[in-house]
Amino acid sequence: MGSGVRRSFLASATLAGMALVPGLQGVSLAQAQDLAPEPPAAELSPVPSASPVPVPLAPEVLGNRPLSDPTVLPPAATQLQPDLQPLASPPSLALPIRPAQVKIQQLRPLGLRDVETLAEANNPSLKAVASQVDQAQSNLRAQISAWYPNINLSTGNTFPGLTNSSRFRFDADAGPLLPSTSRTKGRTIGAAMSIGINWDLINPQRVPQIAAARDQFEQAQNQYLIALRDLRLQAAQNYFNLQLADEGVRIGQESVRASLVSLKDARARFQAGVSTKLEVLQAETQLARDQQLLTNSLAEQSISRRALASLLDLPQNVTPTAKEPARVVGTWMPSLQESIVAAYAFREELDQIILQISIANSNANAAIGAVQPFLTIVNNFGWDRSNGQTGVPEDRSINMGSYTYGFDNSFGLNLSWNLFDGGRAAAQFRQQKQAAEEQRFTFADRRDQIRLEVETSFYQLLQNNRDITTTSRAVISSREALRLARLRFQAGVTTQREVVDSQRDLTQAEVSYARAVTDYNRRLAELRRRTGLDQVAFCQPPSLPSVKPASDPTTQIPIEPQPLMPACQAVLRAPDGRGPLSP
């Protein structure tokens, strides 16, 4: 069964299984189990031991040489929309040399869809993987050329060439005292060329080498799909991290405002003589703690923005911001079992290992082909012509009217057979077969890892779902507890400690709620990446009024920016070095 047919079949089976239970859409696995009716006591019986369902082997499902299937994944964006054109990536070799070139001049709000589009169009790592696909295709075309003849043209060093010759003759018979000598010179100019045609009729290494190159091309295509999935997951996670950092800044600002209100009330009561200095100090301590929380959140926000900018390869003077607030994206619809089977069907990592087995087998055949006979058709055609003369004494002229020329043609078969190589080919054959066996063990290990990844994300999604429920209740309760604690403190019934504790509980509850929502969205993104499915029931966006609701004016206190003091001046140590000095 081909990979495309296999994946279409499994996808339709998954959708059919979900259509059988329309009433359970949006219900968690634990809730579905609670809603299931219990069987009567009379019907309860020991469950017989079921025979194991036969599991087919991977080559029977994937094929011995599975083809990459880009239709299982939406294609990557190659062009940006007009509103995103100013955010196109700079030239790959651009390198700023002045501080003004890296100064942030624009904060650009982006949504999750915009982030995914920019990542697909700008990310240099994805472009590098796409280039590797082109390289693998070029290598495959180079290997296919082994089926065609080779035609070589050679001219040597005479195209044209000038030849000077000098000859000396010594005659010893003329006498011992006066031997006779003679000298002749000559010059010729000529040209010669030869054309050779070689065509392999039998080449035992040709087919396995082409097969290995073809599998490497399929691997490169699968690697591009894997990189695209990872990039989309990383873009979504970075965006969720930025949303969490924004929520941290908002919570920090609200906590600082609340601490300023508490400190204002504590000082007013202290000046009225109905409170102690201890309550003022407690309020100041809580204010310092909330200011530290806000400082950490601002730093995390800046880092998250630049991390997203680096992933999107934005211009050097642009920093992205989150246009959408942190909220639950949707509900995962497939069951755990459907998710596991879909992960086995849609994950290209398993196809990569099967292709690696095929490459090892092809390399083994190529290695053993080195000691098999090679048969080649050979045809060589040669031509030469020369003008000039030799043997004329002291004549250095070239007679262009006198020339000689010739040609020759040879045709035949060339047989080459390495009869003995010391066992080298056999050893390389065994090595490649052993490498194929190693990949089979790697397949089993990767299969188990894929299931564990899906199960981990699925169970963590259920955990985060419950965390959202519990933390939202904690936020509501802590907010009401803080309101009552302030009323009690203003009425003189309680102390500042209760207000501080209630405010701290509210801050921790809001942070936990924001983290639970972010973790839930991360698990959704992981399941979409690890299963290849996109069956998410997206939540309806909340309908917000067009006018901002009026808030309590007592809490609308501006947060004044504090100047950054150098660390050497801020950290004033006591003489014993154990703590800061009191102001």
Side-chain angles (χ1 to χ4, degrees):
M1 185 183 298
S3 59
V5 178
R6 165 177 57 86
R7 285 167 174 151
S8 300
F9 171 76
L10 289 175
S12 61
T14 302
L15 291 174
M18 292 174 53
L20 295 177
V21 285
L24 293 182
Q25 293 184 358
V27 180
S28 64
L29 182 61
Q31 294 173 346
Q33 294 176 349
D34 296 337
L35 294 176
E38 296 183 359
E43 297 181 2
L44 295 177
S45 60
V47 179
S49 59
S51 58
V53 179
V55 179
L57 298 179
E60 299 175 2
V61 180
L62 305 177
N64 292 324
R65 301 172 65 187
L67 298 176
S68 61
D69 188 4
T71 60
V72 301
L73 192 65
T78 56
Q79 295 181 353
L80 296 177
Q81 302 172 359
D83 57 333
L84 298 178
Q85 283 292 340
L87 301 181
S89 60
S92 300
L93 298 180
L95 183 64
I97 58 176
R98 292 192 296 270
Q101 296 173 340
V102 296
K103 183 180 180 180
I104 303 302
Q105 299 177 355
Q106 179 184 2
L107 296 177
R108 181 63 182 267
L110 298 175
L112 180 58
R113 185 64 58 86
D114 298 334
V115 168
E116 292 181 351
T117 302
L118 287 170
E120 295 170 5
N122 289 353
N123 186 261
S125 299
L126 185 64
K127 295 178 182 178
V129 177
S131 176
Q132 293 176 1
V133 176
D134 297 336
Q135 296 175 33
Q137 186 177 15
S138 300
N139 179 54
L140 174 60
R141 185 62 187 86
Q143 297 297 330
I144 293 177
S145 65
W147 284 106
Y148 298 91
N150 293 328
I151 303 177
N152 301 319
L153 174 64
S154 176
T155 62
N157 56 358
T158 57
F159 193 78
L162 177 63
T163 304
N164 292 320
S165 62
S166 296
R167 295 182 178 273
F168 298 89
R169 180 180 179 185
F170 179 76
D171 190 0
D173 297 336
L177 298 178
L178 297 173
S180 64
T181 60
S182 63
R183 179 182 180 184
T184 60
K185 295 183 179 181
R187 300 182 107 190
T188 59
I189 183 171
M193 56 177 265
S194 63
I195 298 178
I197 302 177
N198 298 326
W199 196 351
D200 291 338
L201 293 181
I202 299 177
N203 186 348
Q205 294 181 329
R206 177 170 50 196
V207 173
Q209 288 175 350
I210 295 176
R214 176 260 185 196
D215 292 336
Q216 291 173 354
F217 174 60
E218 296 296 335
Q219 277 190 329
Q221 290 182 313
N222 285 332
Q223 190 61 38
Y224 176 79
L225 296 179
I226 293 173
L228 181 58
R229 292 181 190 272
D230 291 338
L231 178 63
R232 288 173 176 171
L233 173 62
Q234 189 176 0
Q237 288 183 340
N238 284 14
Y239 189 77
F240 295 148
N241 291 339
L242 179 55
Q243 288 181 333
L244 179 60
D246 291 344
E247 285 296 309
V249 172
R250 181 191 62 82
I251 294 171
Q253 291 175 347
E254 293 181 356
S255 300
V256 171
R257 290 191 182 98
S259 297
L260 290 174
V261 172
S262 300
L263 179 59
K264 179 181 177 181
D265 294 342
R267 286 177 176 175
R269 289 175 56 84
F270 175 71
Q271 292 175 358
V274 295
S275 179
T276 62
K277 181 66 174 178
L278 177 60
E279 295 181 349
V280 177
L281 295 177
Q282 290 176 348
E284 291 178 350
T285 302
Q286 181 62 31
L287 176 60
R289 187 181 294 113
D290 292 334
Q291 288 176 343
Q292 181 183 4
L293 173 64
L294 179 58
T295 300
N296 296 340
S297 300
L298 290 173
E300 292 177 0
Q301 184 187 54
S302 300
I303 295 174
S304 299
R305 288 177 176 178
R306 293 314 306 168
L308 184 60
S310 175
L311 180 67
L312 304 183
D313 194 21
L314 298 180
Q316 296 288 330
N317 58 353
V318 178
T319 289
T321 61
K323 182 172 62 175
E324 303 168 355
R327 60 171 178 261
V328 176
V329 175
T331 304
W332 184 251
M333 301 304 298
S335 65
L336 176 60
Q337 293 75 21
E338 292 170 344
S339 301
I340 295 174
V341 175
Y344 289 155
F346 291 97
R347 292 287 290 273
E348 290 80 11
E349 289 86 344
L350 297 179
D351 293 348
Q352 293 288 79
I353 301 177
I354 297 297
L355 288 173
Q356 192 62 39
I357 295 176
S358 177
I359 291 175
N361 291 328
S362 299
N363 292 338
N365 295 332
I368 204 66
V371 293
Q372 295 177 356
F374 292 75
L375 185 62
T376 306
I377 297 179
V378 180
N379 185 16
N380 293 320
F381 175 81
W383 172 87
D384 66 274
R385 171 173 174 162
S386 62
N387 295 76
Q389 55 187 347
T390 59
V392 180
E394 303 297 336
D395 188 0
R396 302 180 60 83
S397 63
I398 298 177
N399 186 5
M400 300 301 296
S402 175
Y403 65 89
T404 60
Y405 72 92
F407 64 87
D408 61 85
N409 185 37
S410 62
F411 177 81
L413 297 177
N414 185 9
L415 176 64
S416 174
W417 193 350
N418 188 2
L419 298 178
F420 181 73
D421 65 346
R424 177 185 180 87
Q428 292 178 343
F429 176 83
R430 290 193 304 271
Q431 177 188 5
Q432 295 299 326
K433 287 297 183 180
Q434 292 163 359
E437 185 67 19
E438 176 190 357
Q439 293 301 320
R440 293 184 176 90
F441 300 138
T442 304
F443 182 91
D445 181 64
R446 190 67 185 126
R447 177 199 61 208
D448 297 338
Q449 290 181 3
I450 288 176
R451 174 165 184 171
L452 179 60
E453 291 174 356
V454 174
E455 291 175 336
T456 301
S457 298
F458 191 87
Y459 292 135
Q460 288 179 348
L461 182 69
L462 299 180
Q463 172 194 351
N464 299 140
N465 192 3
R466 293 184 180 274
D467 289 343
I468 291 175
T469 303
T470 55
T471 53
S472 61
R473 294 174 183 173
V475 169
I476 296 174
S477 301
S478 301
R479 190 171 295 160
E480 181 64 17
L482 177 60
R483 188 184 69 85
L484 295 176
R486 282 177 177 169
L487 293 177
R488 287 165 53 85
F489 178 71
Q490 294 172 359
V493 179
T494 185
T495 61
Q496 182 67 27
R497 170 56 62 183
E498 183 177 352
V499 178
V500 170
D501 293 342
S502 299
Q503 181 179 339
R504 188 185 310 166
D505 294 341
L506 176 60
T507 301
Q508 294 177 354
E510 289 184 343
V511 171
S512 299
Y513 175 76
R515 194 174 300 278
V517 172
T518 302
D519 291 342
Y520 182 88
N521 292 335
R522 288 172 181 167
R523 300 294 89 77
L524 273 181
E526 288 178 359
L527 283 174
R528 294 172 67 182
R529 161 65 182 92
R530 293 174 175 177
T531 63
L533 299 177
D534 198 13
Q535 300 172 6
V536 178
F538 293 97
C539 300
Q540 295 293 335
S543 60
L544 301 177
S546 57
V547 180
K548 184 178 180 180
S551 56
D552 188 2
T554 59
T555 60
Q556 298 304 314
I557 299 179
I559 302 176
E560 298 180 359
Q562 297 182 355
L564 183 60
M565 184 181 299
C568 294
Q569 300 179 13
V571 182
L572 298 178
R573 295 292 181 178
D576 56 359
R578 294 184 179 179
L581 294 174
S582 60

